[in-house]
Amino acid sequence: MDPTIKIDERVDVVTIFKRGGDIGSLCVPCRMRWRGREIDLTELALRHPTVQGKRMIHVFHVSDGSNGYRLEFDAEGLTWTLVAMMAEKP
Amino acid sequence: MINYGLNTQEPQVMHIDLNSAFASAEQQAWPSLRGRPMGVTNRLSKECCVIAASYEAKALGIKVGVRRSEAVALCPDFIMLETDPSKYTWMYQNLLRIMKSYSPNFKMKSIDEGVIDFHGVHRTRSMIDIGYEIKQRMKDEVGQYMRVNVGIGPNRFLAKMAAGWHKPDGLDLLDHHNLIEFYKGIELEDITGIADAFSARLRAVGVTTPLEFLGANHDFLRKRVFKSINGLYWHDRLRGYEMDAQPTQLGMVGRQWVLRQASNDDAWLRSCLHFLAETVGMKLRYRSAEARGICVWMSFNVGGSWSDKRMLRATIYTNQDIWLQVSKLFDQRPKHMLIRTMGLYLYQLTPSTRSQLSMFDDVAKADYLTQAVDEINDFYGSFTVFSADTLTGTQNVKQKIPFGGTEYFDLLLKRA
């Protein structure tokens, strides 16, 4: 029924920080290493900020063309966490 | 040709409505959900309800309020997610930012709809052009899957009706040129604000269509149908005259909570209610108000309900004062009954005078403490400092998405 798979694991992420553009496309995660696999992220579907206490968290919903991933960037701790994923056909 | 006395001014009110807002936001975030019947609920459980459904789900008859089991019976592949308040609040903030850029006179009606009043605003383009631009900006600045309905009318009522005319992704203008044709094509119950009760009243006096409603004179509506000034308001509203621009007064603040499992465990319920009381206190102070009236209510597992109210001599403002009164009322409940839903609200609200110096030292100390705790929670996140008694409550009561009012989104953001 709820097709999201909770993961909550730290991951390596290659990110492009662009010089210009609107805020939605200034910072784009493009590749992630998770459990030894390298995954190319081809779509930034949605980015939104949230806060946990005074910590600013940027939430990135990205896709590799088949699976969707929820990545969170902790702007204070400078860490990337793969919070959840959803398969292509839930 | 009957002269209905319609408002012939240029339509300058725009109603913006995000289509299936929460479901669309999830479909935007998770590409694999796009084009699929799905919905969101506040808390996934066996018998939870759909609080927002995607258009694909609506096409199958799965609407807001449908239970999970009913939805799965209609569509075995139906997908249900839990709400993500920070996502929807961010969407709301974007909608607000876009609306603000067109006129200083705007008002959010709820988390997913708002009104822009262009009266007095210098425009170089038509309202329709601006409407299409807003639709495109939502796609460019929020996401390509975000669809917006835009309605334009001479008053708020007709702008809202226009926004609902062609869903999803519509843009319509209603004015004196097409209003009669529009009324001919809808039912009485399609009119915003005419629910079953008003519709029954109208039908009882022989008014069965929107056009007959429009044709009724104001004396008839006031004396025979609505039996109040509302009859006159409806007479003018239907013709496109503005009757809904007045700000509404804050009447009460409150919070309710549906228990996952019905309970009569006093200590557990008390902690959860204490937590609710603290969130209501935060809302009260956020609105810079004080309250004299307090009510605690609950409904039971086997049906039936209980409530008790108290009108106080002095106003209350601090969490300690609120909880003291709430706990006294809570003690009066029938203790053997298993509680399914409980809540409290504060009423008889007045603007806070706490910035004035108090004659009594203990009152001032309590105010300073409350102010200090609020400031800490404001900076470090809500419920960084809270009463130890509410610990169980903080772990059990989940933040929900508010429908209707949009006054507390800043508070909600801090809790996200």
Side-chain angles (χ1 to χ4, degrees):
Chain A
M1 182 57 113
D2 177 358
T4 49
I5 302 160
K6 304 279 182 284
I7 306 215
D8 231 7
E9 289 175 24
R10 287 273 294 275
V11 285
D12 299 325
V13 175
V14 178
T15 310
I16 295 172
F17 288 90
K18 292 182 182 166
R19 190 176 56 178
D22 62 84
I23 193 162
S25 60
L26 276 177
C27 169
V28 183
C30 57
R31 181 174 282 189
M32 163 174 77
R33 188 187 292 133
W34 172 50
R35 295 183 186 171
R37 281 194 306 135
E38 297 221 339
I39 300 165
D40 283 326
L41 306 171
T42 53
E43 183 188 351
L44 172 57
L46 188 73
R47 185 210 66 87
H48 67 90
T50 185
V51 286
Q52 287 172 5
K54 65 174 181 176
R55 296 171 93 94
M56 166 65 83
I57 308 288
H58 295 278
V59 180
F60 293 82
H61 282 270
V62 290
S63 163
D64 61 4
S66 52
N67 301 319
Y69 304 93
R70 178 184 171 117
L71 285 167
E72 289 188 1
F73 180 66
D74 181 334
E76 189 180 316
L78 303 180
T79 56
W80 284 96
T81 306
L82 175 58
V83 175
M85 67 173 288
M86 190 183 290
E88 183 181 16
K89 289 191 174 171
Chain B
M1 182 82 180
I2 304 169
N3 181 3
Y4 288 103
L6 305 180
N7 185 351
T8 55
Q9 286 184 343
E10 184 199 5
Q12 294 199 73
V13 180
M14 187 179 284
H15 189 101
I16 317 271
D17 189 351
L18 277 174
N19 298 142
S20 293
F22 304 161
S24 295
E26 295 301 342
Q27 288 178 312
Q28 176 64 45
W30 300 104
S32 56
L33 294 180
R34 295 175 194 170
R36 290 171 183 271
M38 56 83 56
V40 295
T41 186
N42 268 322
R43 189 171 54 221
L44 276 173
S45 66
K46 200 176 164 187
E47 281 301 303
C48 61
C49 285
V50 175
I51 66 161
S54 68
Y55 271 94
E56 297 79 10
K58 284 177 181 171
L60 297 169
I62 302 168
K63 293 180 180 161
V64 174
V66 167
R67 288 195 180 278
R68 180 182 180 171
S69 53
E70 294 166 344
V72 172
L74 287 166
C75 171
D77 295 331
F78 182 69
I79 295 161
M80 193 93 124
L81 299 183
E82 282 203 359
T83 50
D84 182 355
S86 64
K87 197 179 285 162
Y88 314 143
T89 310
W90 177 78
M91 263 175 31
Y92 163 82
Q93 287 173 323
N94 274 285
L95 181 60
L96 191 68
R97 178 177 53 78
I98 291 171
M99 287 172 58
K100 245 185 204 177
S101 68
Y102 290 95
S103 166
N105 193 3
F106 66 93
K107 166 98 176 140
M108 293 305 289
K109 306 296 284 182
S110 68
I111 193 167
D112 59 358
E113 60 178 344
V115 175
I116 313 174
D117 190 340
F118 284 85
H119 284 99
V121 175
H122 176 67
R123 282 188 288 116
T124 53
R125 291 168 297 157
S126 72
M127 292 288 284
I128 288 178
D129 285 349
I130 293 172
Y132 278 118
E133 183 179 273
I134 289 174
K135 287 162 78 72
Q136 191 55 46
R137 283 185 66 186
M138 278 304 287
K139 286 182 189 291
D140 293 343
E141 297 171 32
V142 181
Q144 289 298 315
Y145 212 73
M146 303 309 297
R147 288 168 293 183
V148 174
N149 262 65
V150 176
I152 301 161
N155 65 356
R156 281 160 176 71
F157 166 74
L158 288 182
K160 184 171 171 65
M161 292 296 291
W165 197 354
H166 295 109
K167 282 192 169 185
D169 216 13
L171 186 150
D172 286 287
L173 182 146
L174 272 177
D175 66 3
H176 61 286
H177 292 110
N178 62 352
L179 189 56
I180 304 299
E181 285 307 309
F182 172 74
Y183 282 143
K184 279 181 186 168
I186 61 170
E187 299 291 324
L188 210 47
E189 291 77 11
D190 295 332
I191 296 176
T192 301
I194 299 295
D196 291 346
F198 277 150
S199 161
R201 280 197 209 179
L202 286 161
R203 287 180 188 282
V205 292
V207 177
T208 59
T209 66
L211 213 54
E212 287 172 355
F213 191 13
L214 181 70
N217 75 45
H218 56 76
D219 264 353
F220 177 79
L221 291 175
R222 188 164 57 88
K223 291 176 181 166
R224 297 277 312 277
V225 184
F226 294 94
K227 297 182 172 58
S228 73
I229 192 76
N230 276 331
L232 190 58
Y233 293 160
W234 269 109
H235 178 271
D236 290 355
R237 187 179 285 132
L238 290 169
R239 284 161 175 73
Y241 295 101
E242 190 56 83
M243 309 308 293
D244 304 300
Q246 297 301 320
T248 49
Q249 273 196 321
L250 180 66
M252 62 169 71
V253 290
R255 179 98 193 256
Q256 68 176 63
W257 181 53
V258 182
L259 282 68
R260 193 182 288 269
Q261 262 197 320
S263 170
N264 64 354
D265 179 338
D266 187 73
W268 190 79
L269 289 170
R270 195 170 280 279
S271 176
C272 294
L273 188 65
H274 194 166
F275 175 79
L276 295 178
E278 292 214 345
T279 60
V280 171
M282 281 167 58
K283 284 182 175 183
L284 182 76
R285 294 188 294 278
Y286 182 70
R287 301 300 299 268
S288 302
E290 298 176 20
R292 274 191 64 209
I294 189 158
C295 176
V296 174
W297 63 270
M298 58 197 65
S299 64
F300 303 117
N301 197 33
V302 291
S305 61
W306 174 91
S307 69
D308 201 359
K309 283 181 177 181
R310 183 168 294 172
M311 185 62 80
L312 307 164
R313 286 185 182 171
T315 57
I316 50 174
Y317 175 82
T318 65
N319 283 352
Q320 293 92 326
D321 287 345
I322 295 168
W323 174 239
L324 179 71
Q325 298 302 331
V326 167
S327 60
K328 278 183 191 170
L329 292 174
F330 188 65
D331 286 340
Q332 308 300 314
R333 77 189 191 281
K335 294 190 174 63
H336 60 287
M337 299 294 280
L338 291 169
I339 297 171
R340 168 58 66 189
T341 308
M342 65 180 180
L344 70 135
Y345 62 86
L346 305 173
Y347 59 103
Q348 282 283 320
L349 305 183
T350 53
S352 175
T353 56
R354 298 296 163 130
S355 55
Q356 296 172 14
L357 290 173
S358 171
M359 287 171 63
F360 305 105
D361 194 38
D362 54 341
V363 172
K365 278 181 180 171
D367 286 356
Y368 290 146
L369 178 64
T370 299
Q371 198 179 340
V373 169
D374 281 350
E375 280 177 17
I376 291 169
N377 288 335
D378 198 37
F379 188 78
Y380 289 102
S382 296
F383 298 98
T384 302
V385 177
F386 53 89
S387 305
D389 186 43
T390 66
L391 190 60
T392 304
T394 55
Q395 290 161 354
N396 283 281
V397 182
K398 197 186 159 198
Q399 178 63 53
K400 291 189 176 184
I401 296 295
F403 283 95
T406 53
E407 296 88 354
Y408 304 111
F409 284 151
D410 284 345
L411 273 178
L412 191 143
L413 256 183
K414 286 168 191 161
R415 291 208 56 206

